[in-house]
Amino acid sequence: MALEMRDRCERCETAGLPFDAPARICSYECTFCVPCSEAMRDICPNCGGELVPRPRRT
């Protein structure tokens, strides 16, 4: 099962997140840019889960 590679930060909605860009995701695949993730202390505001680096695709 492949990850859904979302192309926008769910918090600021302005950060474009191409497949090869650094991003953070939770276990439900909520997606955030690195600055927003750091501002939220790597905690997902939707589920309370940990935000971890999203794998990159080439």
Side-chain angles (χ1 to χ4, degrees):
M1 180 163 78
L3 289 173
E4 180 182 335
M5 299 293 277
R6 298 179 185 158
D7 63 354
R8 294 254 172 239
C9 172
E10 293 184 33
R11 183 174 185 230
C12 67
E13 296 186 3
T14 58
L17 299 171
F19 296 153
D20 62 344
R24 302 289 184 262
I25 61 171
C26 71
S27 61
Y28 291 100
E29 299 180 25
C30 300
T31 305
F32 302 94
C33 65
V34 173
C36 284
S37 177
E38 289 174 351
M40 298 182 296
R41 298 185 152 180
D42 293 320
I43 301 296
C44 179
N46 301 325
C47 69
E50 177 183 21
L51 295 172
V52 297
R54 175 180 77 176
R56 295 183 191 183
R57 290 188 185 156
T58 55

